[in-house]
Amino acid sequence: MASQIERVAAELRRRILKGELLAGQRVLEVEWAQELAVSRTPLRLALAELEKQGLVERLGSRGYHVRVITMDDVAEAIDLRGVLEGVAARLVAEGGPSNDDLETLSACVEEGRLLLEAADANDGVLDSAAWASMNARFHATLVGAANNKTLRSTLDHVNKSPLADAGALGIHGSQPVLELSYLKRAQSDHEDVLLAIREREGARAENLMREHARRSRDNKRRLTQSSDTLLVHEASVPLVFRKAAR
């Protein structure tokens, strides 16, 4: 039963994030139990799990509907991620990273530099999926290197919020010059954080990560305001988020 619930929850989450289930749309138990070839019991339990993740809301006795995700919701989650990742950066800098972690962080910084150089040479067209994957790896390595189970668990919960995870890159291609400038600043942030960690500057590393998250929050807000849809590359999966009606 547990594996079935996990499978159903993962599939519904995927469809919500891809826009196949739209904000405000009811999730009809009979329909989706048939669609996913499960009984209504694991479906209900999966929906309860998605409610904890903030993706659906209960409609009393009428089941669930897909939650309307606003930029304020996203901003709150990103701000909290920045606080947690800031603590992680400080712990890593003060304790000293392992050679493997330092090598991975350095490789991510180098990959980011090469991706941006390739974009400049290709009229500003960036391999956004590769950047998102690299970015997620940089942040995950930093958190893992802190070796703090409570911090990691809390951050895992925060990252379940749409667009909050470091691997969620909010772009829609309508402003390529602006979008590329955001990523160039993000690359500079990564370089500065890595330098602070190398030099064991814990307070500086923490502040840099907080500022890094704040810029991500503000950039995503600007990009969502400029389009009715926001194309997101989370890891290597393209997603579409629709803005809620005002």
Side-chain angles (χ1 to χ4, degrees):
M1 173 70 79
S3 61
Q4 192 175 49
I5 294 168
E6 183 177 339
R7 178 182 66 81
V8 172
E11 178 60 18
L12 287 174
R13 183 176 190 273
R14 185 189 69 80
R15 296 195 187 203
I16 291 170
L17 296 180
K18 287 193 69 175
E20 295 176 12
L21 279 166
L22 302 179
Q25 180 178 340
R26 284 188 61 194
V27 182
L28 300 175
E29 289 185 4
V30 173
E31 174 185 337
W32 282 98
Q34 292 176 348
E35 172 75 15
L36 300 176
V38 295
S39 68
R40 294 170 70 172
T41 297
L43 177 65
R44 287 172 181 167
L45 293 172
L47 287 168
E49 181 61 29
L50 293 180
E51 183 181 25
K52 295 177 185 177
Q53 297 176 17
L55 292 175
V56 299
E57 289 179 322
R58 183 182 289 276
L59 297 170
S61 61
R62 296 185 295 124
Y64 294 85
H65 72 171
V66 179
R67 181 184 169 198
V68 175
I69 304 295
T70 68
M71 254 323 293
D72 287 341
D73 297 325
V74 174
E76 288 179 0
I78 293 177
D79 283 342
L80 184 52
R81 175 167 65 82
V83 171
L84 294 169
E85 290 186 339
V87 172
R90 175 172 55 80
L91 291 174
V92 175
E94 291 177 350
S98 69
N99 290 335
D100 286 345
D101 288 333
L102 195 58
E103 183 177 334
T104 300
L105 292 171
S106 299
C108 288
V109 167
E110 177 63 11
E111 182 179 351
R113 184 185 66 79
L114 294 175
L115 286 169
L116 292 174
E117 287 181 356
D120 282 334
N122 191 31
D123 296 324
V125 178
L126 176 79
D127 186 344
S128 54
W131 177 277
S133 179
M134 175 279 297
N135 194 54
R137 191 164 61 255
F138 180 91
H139 285 252
T141 300
L142 183 65
V143 173
N147 196 29
N148 187 305
K149 292 181 180 179
T150 302
L151 188 152
R152 184 185 301 182
S153 175
T154 305
L155 190 55
D156 284 344
H157 181 72
V158 172
N159 284 340
K160 290 177 181 177
S161 300
L163 275 179
D165 188 271
L169 173 64
I171 63 170
H172 47 66
S174 64
Q175 302 180 74
V177 175
L178 181 61
E179 292 164 1
L180 190 59
S181 72
Y182 290 162
L183 297 185
K184 286 182 177 180
R185 182 51 197 263
Q187 170 69 13
S188 179
D189 288 345
H190 285 183
E191 293 171 358
D192 289 342
V193 169
L194 179 59
L195 180 60
I197 289 174
R198 287 183 183 277
E199 296 185 355
R200 302 292 187 89
E201 296 177 337
R204 182 166 180 262
E206 180 173 7
N207 289 333
L208 285 168
M209 285 304 296
R210 288 192 180 210
E211 284 296 303
H212 184 53
R214 182 189 61 79
R215 271 189 283 274
S216 174
R217 176 203 68 194
D218 292 345
N219 293 343
K220 286 172 181 175
R221 188 183 292 279
R222 294 187 189 102
L223 290 172
T224 55
Q225 289 172 344
S226 67
S227 175
D228 288 333
T229 60
L230 176 64
L231 178 62
V232 179
H233 288 273
E234 185 173 16
S236 60
V237 182
L239 314 173
V240 174
F241 287 79
R242 289 171 174 79
K243 291 194 296 184
R246 297 188 179 186

